[in-house]
Amino acid sequence: MYATTNVNMYVGPGQAKAAESSNSHSGSDQKVTAQELNGAVFIPIRGPLLEMGDCEGGLAVTGETKDVALRLKGGAIVAIFFASSLGVAIPLLGRKLKWLQVDGNSFLVAKSFASGVILATGFVHILGDATERLTSPCLPEMPWDKFPWAGFIAMMAVCITLVVDVLSTRFFESKNCLGAHAHVHNHTVNVADDSTVATSGSRPIDEETNATKADREKEALHLRYVVISQVLEFGIITHSVIIGISLGVSDSPSTIRPLFAALVFHQFFEGVALGGCIAQAGIKTVTSFVMACFFAMTTPLGIAMGIGISSSYNENSTTALITEGVFDSVSAGILIYLALVDLIAHDFLGDRMKDDRPLQAFCFIGLFTGAIAMAALAVWA
């Protein structure tokens, strides 16, 4: 990030008049006053400087400011943990409470809102941060200034996530195929036996075949949600650690406050989306609890790690910029893929929403509202 700051630029005595002349036409903001000192001139100018100082280290921070920042970080750990836990718990409690069930229309609208939040998080926040870090003037010009690395890494992350998605789905299908085959085999035997006594009121073969097909489609959908929930959690955890560290190492209250609010908002709705996928996958209670705990604890853990290394951490160092930039790019690619393919397309192109136009309209409103609301937070964080 850059800030416009007044600095004094040293020029030789022969350049003073030219500088004064060139700046006299730039308006009152650019008016130059020259003061001769031992044959040299210092001209106040306006130019971009790194907010945290030069690439070797940050600006000095007073002890009082550090205390305020530390209190804000402590509050962020508690608030973000609570928001994350609440967001992921609501859909999971829906398995026990009828008014929170994940197959209701209201939850589908809320999930669409959460999908918009995740999409904006990937495109606007994380990919934007990755681009800023990997194009920083503190990095060597070659190769970082010669190629759009953030977009390229995010694109490769999308492709790799697709491969993982396909292979994971195939793995779970093959793992469950024996049971499915046994079911089909037993079903065929029963049909053959019953065919000898068709007059006794047994169901027609085509009805049983349709029932078998419905069962297999239900099983395939269940496996799909299992894959989505696990890949989604991996993507969220990856970027949550980086975001938490970024907040933890900052000693500026003006930087922490908006980031604090943005993280509470987006962690809650990411939790809703993740919890919904876990609940729809029908994952066992213990496993669901472990996945929810991992999600809720990741960002607070990242903040604690950031606090621990804040005294020696330089966010403008080459290592920090490249590491955070690459991880942010990968996280952005994963979240963009999951939001578009596994959440938005999966729900909006499904039979349920296609057959219910009012529900589809409300879900579109939720999607756009979530995406715009999360994108708007980029003004402050």
Side-chain angles (χ1 to χ4, degrees):
M1 187 181 296
Y2 290 86
T4 304
T5 311
N6 290 327
V7 296
N8 289 329
M9 182 179 72
Y10 176 90
V11 298
Q15 298 171 294
K17 286 186 177 181
E20 285 183 295
S21 175
S22 64
N23 283 275
S24 64
H25 303 289
S26 302
S28 58
D29 288 341
Q30 297 294 327
K31 186 176 181 181
V32 175
T33 57
Q35 179 181 0
E36 294 193 14
L37 180 62
N38 294 330
V41 178
F42 290 89
I43 302 177
I45 65 170
R46 298 174 68 85
L49 289 181
L50 286 171
E51 188 182 44
M52 294 300 294
D54 57 32
C55 299
E56 301 300 323
L59 299 173
V61 180
T62 64
E64 183 178 354
T65 302
K66 285 187 176 182
D67 289 340
V68 173
L70 188 59
R71 287 196 295 270
L72 287 172
K73 295 174 192 177
I77 290 176
V78 176
I80 292 172
F81 177 78
F82 177 77
S84 302
S85 302
L86 180 63
V88 75
I90 288 175
L92 296 179
L93 291 175
R95 296 192 291 194
K96 305 293 184 182
L97 304 174
K98 285 186 177 181
W99 59 281
L100 286 176
Q101 287 183 350
V102 294
D103 56 354
N105 290 349
S106 58
F107 177 78
L108 195 57
V109 175
K111 186 182 175 185
S112 298
F113 183 93
S115 299
V117 170
I118 294 176
L119 186 64
T121 300
F123 269 118
V124 179
H125 291 266
I126 304 180
L127 189 57
D129 289 344
T131 302
E132 182 178 350
R133 289 186 172 102
L134 295 181
T135 57
S136 171
C138 294
L139 292 178
E141 184 177 356
M142 179 63 74
W144 302 106
D145 196 40
K146 301 297 183 182
F147 188 77
W149 288 103
F152 174 76
I153 296 172
M155 178 189 71
M156 295 306 298
V158 169
C159 296
I160 293 172
T161 305
L162 173 61
V163 174
V164 172
D165 205 354
V166 171
L167 294 179
S168 300
T169 303
R170 185 177 299 173
F171 168 77
F172 281 106
E173 286 178 347
S174 64
K175 187 177 179 181
N176 289 270
C177 70
L178 292 177
H181 288 167
H183 173 75
V184 172
H185 175 71
N186 292 333
H187 176 76
T188 305
V189 171
N190 291 335
V191 169
D193 292 339
D194 291 345
S195 64
T196 61
V197 288
T199 57
S200 63
S202 60
R203 291 185 303 166
I205 295 177
D206 58 341
E207 289 187 13
E208 296 193 8
T209 304
N210 290 335
T212 303
K213 182 179 179 182
D215 289 341
R216 291 180 64 84
E217 288 177 350
K218 185 177 180 180
E219 179 67 17
L221 185 62
H222 163 73
L223 295 176
R224 192 81 196 98
Y225 279 122
V226 171
V227 175
I228 291 173
S229 62
Q230 294 181 356
V231 178
L232 179 61
E233 172 139 12
F234 174 77
I236 291 174
I237 286 176
T238 303
H239 87 267
S240 294
V241 172
I242 298 297
I243 292 175
I245 291 175
S246 298
L247 190 150
V249 298
S250 177
D251 286 324
S252 170
S254 61
T255 300
I256 295 173
R257 287 190 184 99
L259 189 56
F260 183 160
L263 284 176
V264 169
F265 178 80
H266 113 268
Q267 287 293 117
F268 173 79
F269 285 103
E270 278 189 348
V272 171
L274 177 62
C277 291
I278 294 173
Q280 288 172 316
I283 296 175
K284 295 180 180 179
T285 303
V286 175
T287 306
S288 299
F289 179 76
V290 172
M291 294 177 70
C293 287
F294 265 108
F295 166 74
M297 294 172 58
T298 303
T299 302
L301 182 61
I303 297 173
M305 291 170 59
I307 294 173
I309 65 174
S310 59
S311 60
S312 59
Y313 183 83
N314 175 19
E315 67 176 7
N316 292 321
S317 68
T318 300
T319 302
L321 288 169
I322 294 175
T323 302
E324 292 184 23
V326 170
F327 272 97
D328 279 343
S329 299
V330 171
S331 299
I334 294 173
L335 291 184
I336 290 169
Y337 172 87
L338 290 170
L340 290 174
V341 178
D342 287 340
L343 296 177
I344 297 173
H346 184 270
D347 288 337
F348 280 83
L349 298 179
D351 292 335
R352 179 180 174 187
M353 200 175 292
K354 285 193 295 185
D355 296 337
D356 191 339
R357 295 298 176 85
L359 174 61
Q360 188 180 61
F362 279 111
C363 288
F364 269 121
I365 293 172
L367 174 66
F368 279 92
T369 304
I372 293 171
M374 191 65 206
L377 289 177
V379 176
W380 301 280

